Amino acid sequence: MDDVLRLLDGLFTPEADRWTNDAASWWDGFYADRSRPVPFFAAEPDENLVSYLDRGLITAGRALDLGCGAGRNALHLASRGVEVDAVDLSPAAIAWAEERARGAGVEVRFHCGDAFALAGTELAGPYDLIYDSGCFHHLPPHRRISYLALLDRLLAPGGLFALTCFAAGAMGSEIPDADLYRRSRLDGGLAYTPESLRWIFSDLTEVELRRMHDEPPEAASFGEPFLWTALFRR
């Protein structure tokens, strides 16, 4: 299976890679200029994550933040009493996240590398929450297998999986999966419908699936309506 997955990885051009360790330099370039007007460069957590915590859907326990970037969601979880592991491919993103954690006076265990490769070693479950804000939609279709295997391996029985991803009709590529391999690229990320998310994560129980609320720049949380937010329970 691993051989087949790596073979399919190779059908994409190197410039399309956003999901393996080879993509670390691309993401380092993305995070190099911290002053760029990228909405999620701000330190505010996702509005849906704040809502889950405020409503008691997420309580203190162990969490894994996949594709943590500069750490905004990991830091918020830690500030609410959650024990957090956070992982990202980019050394630049991890360095920024560690600086923010020191400034906020919170403790997060940051890991730099491929979450698929680190699962079961540095990323040792079970986790009560696995949180993904913008990682899943950068995976090619065949890597959904790897993603589901990671959830199966690391998510605790009864644990929660929360996701934000590009919404079809608003942002991201809506090209059929087979055509992505013919084109050898992902066009910046894949868009999903509610039906496709429910199908992919059909082994989990849906708790909530909605558009992310639109939050103004001055708000205490991040929100953009071109994203879906989904919460599932194992």
Side-chain angles (χ1 to χ4, degrees):
M1 177 66 76
D2 287 341
D3 288 344
V4 172
L5 293 174
R6 284 192 292 269
L7 174 66
L8 292 171
D9 286 344
L11 296 180
F12 291 91
T13 62
E15 293 77 15
D17 185 359
R18 300 290 183 272
W19 69 93
T20 76
N21 278 323
D22 290 338
S25 59
W26 189 93
W27 286 111
D28 278 348
F30 182 82
Y31 285 103
D33 182 1
R34 300 180 183 182
S35 66
R36 286 198 303 142
V38 177
F40 54 85
F41 276 12
E44 287 77 17
D46 289 341
E47 61 83 9
N48 54 299
L49 178 61
V50 175
S51 173
Y52 302 152
L53 288 159
D54 288 348
R55 287 185 284 158
L57 296 175
I58 295 172
T59 56
R62 298 189 69 223
L64 172 61
D65 185 1
L66 293 173
C68 66
R72 56 195 181 84
N73 291 306
L75 268 61
H76 186 71
L77 284 164
S79 74
R80 299 288 292 265
V82 179
E83 181 184 346
V84 184
D85 282 315
V87 60
D88 200 278
L89 290 171
S90 167
I94 292 295
W96 190 2
E98 289 174 336
E99 289 176 26
R100 281 180 165 176
R102 287 192 294 270
V106 299
E107 184 176 345
V108 175
R109 288 186 297 271
F110 289 105
H111 308 265
C112 189
D114 179 348
F116 298 142
L118 298 178
T121 54
E122 290 187 37
L123 307 179
Y127 292 101
D128 303 293
L129 169 70
I130 294 180
Y131 192 76
D132 175 349
S133 183
C135 177
F136 177 71
H137 57 223
H138 289 298
L139 298 178
H142 62 278
R143 282 294 173 182
R144 295 170 195 152
I145 295 171
S146 306
Y147 196 94
L148 292 172
L150 182 147
L151 294 181
D152 187 57
R153 184 172 190 177
L154 297 183
L155 187 60
L160 292 167
F161 165 60
L163 172 74
T164 70
C165 67
F166 291 155
M171 189 170 186
S173 172
E174 298 181 45
I175 296 169
D177 287 351
D179 290 343
L180 294 169
Y181 294 89
R182 298 186 182 101
R183 294 160 57 97
S184 301
R185 62 179 188 267
L186 297 179
D187 293 332
L190 307 185
Y192 289 90
T193 65
E195 293 74 23
S196 63
L197 292 174
R198 290 180 177 120
W199 177 74
I200 292 167
F201 301 108
S202 58
D203 285 345
L204 304 176
T205 300
E206 180 182 334
V207 178
E208 180 177 282
L209 200 164
R210 61 171 173 81
R211 285 291 183 105
M212 181 177 265
H213 297 154
D214 190 7
E215 297 289 313
E218 66 275 9
S221 59
F222 167 84
E224 292 284 355
F226 58 75
L227 298 169
W228 292 117
T229 72
L231 184 65
F232 297 91
R233 187 180 300 277
R234 183 174 185 183

